[in-house]
Amino acid sequence: MKTVFKSILAAASISLVASTAQAANSLEDLLGEVKKNRVSEARINKKREAEFQSARADKQALLRKAQASLKAEKSRGDRLQKQFADNEVTLAEKEVELTQATGNLGEMFGVVRQASAEAYGQISTSIVSAEFPGRGAFLKRMSEEAKGLPNIKELEDLWFALQTEMTQSGQVSRFTTEVISLDGGSQQQEVVRIGTFNLVGEQGYLVYDDQAEMVQPLGRQPDSHLLASAQDMKAATSGITAFYADPSKGGILSLLKEKATMSERYHAGGVVGYVITVMLAIGLLIGLYKIITLTIVSGKIKSQVKNIDNPLATNPLGRILQVYKENKAADVETLELKLDEAILRELPKIDSGINMIKIFAAIAPLLGLLGTVLGMILTFQQITLFGTGDPKLMAGSISMALVTTAQGIIAALPLLLTHSIVSGRSKSIVHILDEQTAGIVATHAESEKA
């Protein structure tokens, strides 16, 4: 940098000399100008040197200041390190003193923490907490966060929490709390708590969700007789009331949500089950129709028996009597054939539909067997595809196999009973017709002999 500056200055001097030479009229003037410029250059160099010396002195001062600060920090670090070592020794001594001072109290601290942890696991999940919320926070703090010895108040709170749980476990209590409905809404309800077993509300059995700290109905209520006992318990105000309690504190009731309903079991039969149901419905309708019509016919025949001389065409016996009146002049054999022909004309109307009921009663179990075979085929197909690791994959096919068999048998039983009733009524009517016809033939034969 200095060299460049000198070069620039020399060039300026030369330029100045050249211009001065042009302006000067004599050598003396030129010499005077050169001397003047020399003196000016020396002054400039001296000024620059003074500035450099001043800056060098400032840098030395900064260096000495930094060295002094470093020395002070090293001294402070040594002092802190010594203080840390002294504190470690003091801490070890204090720990020894604390151990000696606590003595058996240290064992009590462990017992209290263990008891608090056990109580927290029991109380936080207890349905009593639905009536007395917030009991688990203190026990959780005692079992997890407490570092020192418990004081008298904390010991009393622990005893009070345990005593409350024991006392409430043997009581039936009523209280009002917020119940979350299955559709997401909520409302204040009066809830009956039966010890530490069950909660009962307007919807039936309730469960306590200890994670969300809320009360909600079961996803699916149990059978009607169990639900009726729960409603009786809620409505009772005194005395002894029969109640189905869940000793697992809601575990068994929660499993009922997985239990298939009658509707779900019915639909497990699939198409085969639907066909069996249609056959059962048609067979029962035919049977009901035949029972009604045969009962009406039987009543008309009984009325006609009481009035033989006035036959009516509205009943089978009346029509047969009309045939007798039309053929009174015929011989016995001819009359008998005419009456048999009249009876044969009446039989199709009387027996119509009865064989259909019998056929449905025979086909229903066979369809159930067909559903069983189809269900087993699907089961083996699923075993081939997915193996036997997850039984739930085969549950649907096995349900179909079993349900269709049951549906076939269930359909056959009432159909057989209906067929037996209808067939009995039909035979009784035919028996009356045969009896009356035989009587008419016998009376006609006696009249001919006479």
Side-chain angles (χ1 to χ4, degrees), residues 161-437:
L162 294 174
Q163 185 65 36
T164 301
E165 184 70 16
M166 288 187 291
T167 303
Q168 295 297 325
S169 64
Q171 294 182 354
V172 177
S173 174
R174 293 178 180 268
F175 63 97
T176 301
T177 186
E178 184 179 18
V179 178
I180 308 298
S181 59
L182 296 177
D183 58 4
S186 63
Q187 59 178 340
Q188 293 290 326
Q189 291 186 19
E190 183 184 53
V191 176
V192 178
R193 177 181 56 80
I194 298 88
T196 57
F197 299 109
N198 297 113
L199 295 172
V200 177
E202 296 177 0
Q203 298 91 340
Y205 286 92
L206 306 175
V207 293
Y208 175 66
D209 187 352
D210 59 281
Q211 299 295 329
E213 296 184 353
M214 64 182 185
V215 178
Q216 58 186 7
L218 278 173
R220 177 186 296 166
Q221 292 295 328
D223 296 336
S224 58
H225 65 284
L226 300 178
L227 190 58
S229 72
Q231 297 297 340
D232 293 341
M233 173 61 72
K234 186 177 185 304
T237 56
S238 61
I240 299 175
T241 304
F243 177 72
Y244 290 93
D246 182 2
S248 64
K249 302 180 181 180
I252 297 176
L253 288 174
S254 298
L255 291 177
L256 291 178
K257 295 188 295 184
E258 306 297 330
K259 181 181 178 181
T261 61
M262 293 300 296
S263 176
E264 292 173 343
R265 290 176 179 174
Y266 167 74
H267 290 294
V271 177
V272 176
Y274 300 149
V275 173
I276 293 174
T277 304
V278 171
M279 292 178 59
L280 173 62
I282 295 175
L284 292 178
L285 288 176
I286 294 175
L288 180 61
Y289 171 75
K290 293 301 296 183
I291 289 174
I292 294 174
T293 55
L294 292 177
T295 301
I296 294 173
V297 170
S298 178
K300 291 180 178 180
I301 290 176
K302 289 179 181 178
S303 299
Q304 186 67 65
V305 170
K306 297 177 182 179
N307 190 12
I308 295 294
D309 296 332
N310 186 21
L312 300 175
T314 57
N315 65 89
L317 181 58
R319 289 190 288 271
I320 292 173
L321 291 175
Q322 287 180 347
V323 172
Y324 168 66
K325 281 188 174 184
E326 294 172 356
N327 297 276
K328 276 186 176 182
D331 58 85
V332 174
E333 294 181 358
T334 302
L335 178 62
E336 185 177 1
L337 292 174
K338 292 288 184 179
L339 292 177
D340 289 340
E341 182 184 0
I343 292 176
L344 291 175
R345 282 198 300 268
E346 299 295 335
L347 287 179
K349 298 179 182 178
I350 297 174
D351 293 336
S352 63
I354 297 178
N355 288 333
M356 186 64 68
I357 300 174
K358 186 176 182 180
I359 291 172
F360 285 165
I363 292 177
L366 296 178
L367 284 175
L369 181 60
L370 175 62
T372 302
V373 174
L374 293 177
M376 296 308 299
I377 291 174
L378 291 176
T379 300
F380 287 116
Q381 286 179 347
Q382 291 170 347
I383 292 175
T384 303
L385 294 175
F386 306 107
T388 59
D390 189 0
K392 291 184 178 180
L393 293 174
M394 300 177 288
S397 302
I398 295 176
S399 297
M400 178 181 177
L402 298 178
V403 169
T404 51
T405 303
Q407 288 175 337
I409 296 173
I410 292 172
L413 294 177
L415 289 176
L416 287 174
L417 180 61
T418 303
H419 176 265
S420 176
I421 295 173
V422 174
S423 178
R425 289 181 180 271
S426 173
K427 288 179 180 179
S428 66
I429 293 174
V430 174
H431 176 72
I432 293 174
L433 296 178
D434 289 339
E435 182 182 10
Q436 294 297 322
T437 302

Side-chain angles (χ1 to χ4, degrees), residues 1-2 5-6 43-53:
M1 186 69 183
K2 186 184 295 186
F5 181 77
K6 286 183 178 181
R43 189 182 301 114
I44 291 172
N45 290 337
K46 186 175 182 180
K47 182 179 178 181
R48 290 179 62 253
E49 185 178 356
E51 291 176 354
F52 177 77
Q53 292 294 335

Side-chain angles (χ1 to χ4, degrees), residues 50-62 64:
E51 291 176 354
F52 177 77
Q53 292 294 335
S54 176
R56 182 178 180 184
D58 293 340
K59 294 296 187 290
Q60 289 292 336
L62 292 174
R64 287 192 296 270

Side-chain angles (χ1 to χ4, degrees), residues 131-148:
E131 184 176 359
F132 303 98
R135 298 188 304 157
F138 162 74
L139 296 173
K140 183 177 182 181
R141 186 177 68 255
M142 285 286 293
S143 61
E144 296 179 358
E145 301 176 4
K147 300 300 181 183

